Amino acid sequence: MPTRVVIDGLPITGMSLGIVVEHLLEGWHSLESGDELHLVIGPGAQISIPPSVTVHQVDFGPRPFVSRLRAQSVDVPRVCRAVEADVMLGVLPTTTVSPLPCPRTMIAYDVRHELRPEQFSAWTRWSKKISYDIGFYEADGISCISERTRQDLMATHPRLRNRLVRVAHLGADHVDSWPVRRPARGYAIAFGQYGNKNVDLVVDAWSRLHADGEDLPLALVGLSETARATVQAKVDRAGLTGFVEVLPWLPIESFQERFASASLVVFPSDFEGFGLPAAEAMRLGIPLVITPDPALLEVTGGHAVVTDDDSPEGLAKAVTEARRTTPAALAAAQEHAAQFTWANTASRVREMLGEAIAWSKG
């Protein structure tokens, strides 16, 4: 049955969350469910929105954080009342806590701030702790992006064990349109936008590979200006200048081509809620190296090379093994990754919303 859904998209300010919401809406649109979707967004949400979605734009003042909190407290409930929403969906646990005329649901990505607090500033830990705890407490339903995240929530927030907490894996079929231009000389790609991506480990492993005669260049993408200077100095000291490329956030088209054209994806993350680059790599048919992180093991399903430990030697060994991945193994990985579509994500989220609505009616 068609449902009127108000989506709190006010937290969308950066690329990562924007990518998820944009593709979730596209997947939802493809279902042809007849649902009436209303998206509340601020001025920083640079995403493509299907024409079937009604957009409610909120202007922020000179203090965006305060403006967002005010909009979530006032504008999201107002839209819910105006459209007679059946349910409200927050794209983060940091969503409205004001009284609503409908059930309150949200998407949960991870609780890394609780399980890896050293990877966050004191302010970020505090703000996430307060806002997420309140969001989880108020939620009538939660959609987790992996079973790993659901299990973490059960462990860190035991009161949720009797609540509606479901799993909706993210999609990866957006990579089907990414341009692939295989260069004459292959290269690996790794990521450095967050501390859990272990850039230092990757550089140390590449130093060992280079010393052993391995000739695979590496592109490190997504580093901040400060991080680039530090990592570049490490690369230079290791004698890897010109062999390891240290890059900032790339324009989206350039990033897509860099990723899709790589001959190896190196993803030694020590904590993931899902691990979207792993699903993307499998769907693209690119050999993949991961750590034994629970989410990465869940998503890859045995179709990636897993490091033995978190040492440079362990990562170097896994890279060498991954370079020998057979075409048959890559085809099997692509078949496995076929399940990760945004239509499936939207379908699972809709199921959770339907349960929340039914529960609210007793």
Side-chain angles (χ1 to χ4, degrees):
M1 184 174 68
T3 304
R4 286 186 297 275
V5 185
V6 170
I7 301 171
D8 174 12
L10 291 166
I12 303 172
T13 55
M15 186 171 70
S16 296
L17 183 58
I19 287 172
V20 171
V21 176
E22 177 177 315
H23 294 309
L24 173 63
L25 292 175
E26 290 172 354
W28 211 316
H29 176 75
S30 73
L31 296 177
E32 298 183 350
S33 62
D35 292 339
E36 186 179 311
L37 302 183
H38 295 264
L39 176 66
V40 185
I41 56 172
Q46 304 298 320
I47 64 172
S48 175
I49 302 170
S52 58
V53 178
T54 301
V55 177
H56 303 260
Q57 178 80 49
V58 176
D59 293 327
F60 287 173
R63 301 169 65 189
F65 179 74
V66 174
S67 295
R68 192 192 87 191
L69 293 180
R70 180 193 176 281
Q72 287 180 314
S73 299
V74 176
D75 293 298
V76 172
R78 174 183 57 77
V79 173
C80 288
R81 292 191 296 270
V83 305
E84 298 182 337
D86 296 307
V87 65
M88 191 284 300
L89 174 66
V91 300
L92 278 181
T94 304
T95 186
T96 180
V97 295
S98 298
L100 296 176
C102 58
R104 185 190 325 263
T105 66
M106 64 188 59
I107 299 174
Y109 300 84
D110 60 57
V111 286
R112 183 162 64 96
H113 63 288
E114 295 188 57
L115 300 177
R116 295 288 191 278
E118 70 281 0
Q119 296 179 351
F120 297 86
S121 67
W123 162 253
T124 301
R125 289 198 305 270
W126 180 83
S127 61
K128 282 181 175 286
K129 172 68 175 173
I130 297 299
S131 61
Y132 279 40
D133 281 6
I134 294 174
F136 293 146
Y137 181 79
E138 296 286 340
D140 296 298
I142 301 173
S143 179
C144 298
I145 64 172
S146 66
E147 178 61 24
R148 185 263 169 86
T149 293
R150 195 187 75 85
Q151 293 291 343
D152 284 349
L153 272 181
M154 298 300 102
T156 57
H157 300 268
R159 64 178 177 272
L160 294 178
R161 291 173 183 169
N162 297 321
R163 306 284 283 278
L164 177 62
V165 183
R166 300 290 185 259
V167 174
H169 286 134
L170 301 181
D173 49 325
H174 55 276
V175 303
D176 294 350
S177 63
W178 288 9
V180 179
R181 296 181 177 87
R182 303 288 189 201
R185 187 183 187 191
Y187 62 90
I189 190 169
F191 313 94
Q193 63 269 43
Y194 303 115
N196 59 313
K197 307 308 182 190
N198 284 318
V199 171
D200 285 341
L201 173 62
V202 176
V203 175
D204 288 340
W206 240 256
S207 180
R208 293 183 178 276
L209 289 166
H210 192 53
D212 291 340
E214 293 270 7
D215 61 350
L216 185 66
L218 171 69
L220 280 170
V221 301
L223 284 85
S224 67
E225 184 176 355
T226 301
R228 288 202 308 277
T230 301
V231 174
Q232 186 64 60
K234 182 181 179 71
V235 166
D236 294 341
R237 288 194 303 271
L240 298 172
T241 308
F243 191 68
V244 173
E245 193 175 7
V246 182
L247 299 168
W249 285 104
L250 299 174
I252 187 64
E253 295 84 4
S254 298
F255 171 77
Q256 291 173 354
E257 183 176 334
R258 277 279 182 145
F259 191 121
S261 303
S263 53
L264 177 66
V265 171
V266 182
F267 200 51
S269 174
D270 62 46
F271 192 104
E272 290 296 317
F274 179 79
L276 188 56
E280 292 168 337
M282 289 189 297
R283 190 166 182 105
L284 286 164
I286 303 173
L288 172 66
V289 173
I290 63 168
T291 55
D293 171 80
L296 293 177
L297 294 176
E298 175 184 342
V299 168
T300 56
H303 296 283
V305 176
V306 184
T307 59
D308 293 332
D309 53 44
D310 58 0
S311 70
E313 296 84 358
L315 180 56
K317 175 186 173 185
V319 167
T320 299
E321 181 181 345
R323 296 188 70 184
R324 297 194 293 265
T325 304
T326 66
L330 293 177
Q334 284 186 301
E335 183 178 354
H336 171 74
Q339 67 182 294
F340 300 120
T341 69
W342 289 103
N344 283 343
T345 307
S347 180
R348 299 294 180 270
V349 171
R350 288 190 74 247
E351 288 175 8
M352 183 274 292
L353 298 182
E355 288 186 79
I357 293 169
W359 284 19
S360 71
K361 295 178 179 178

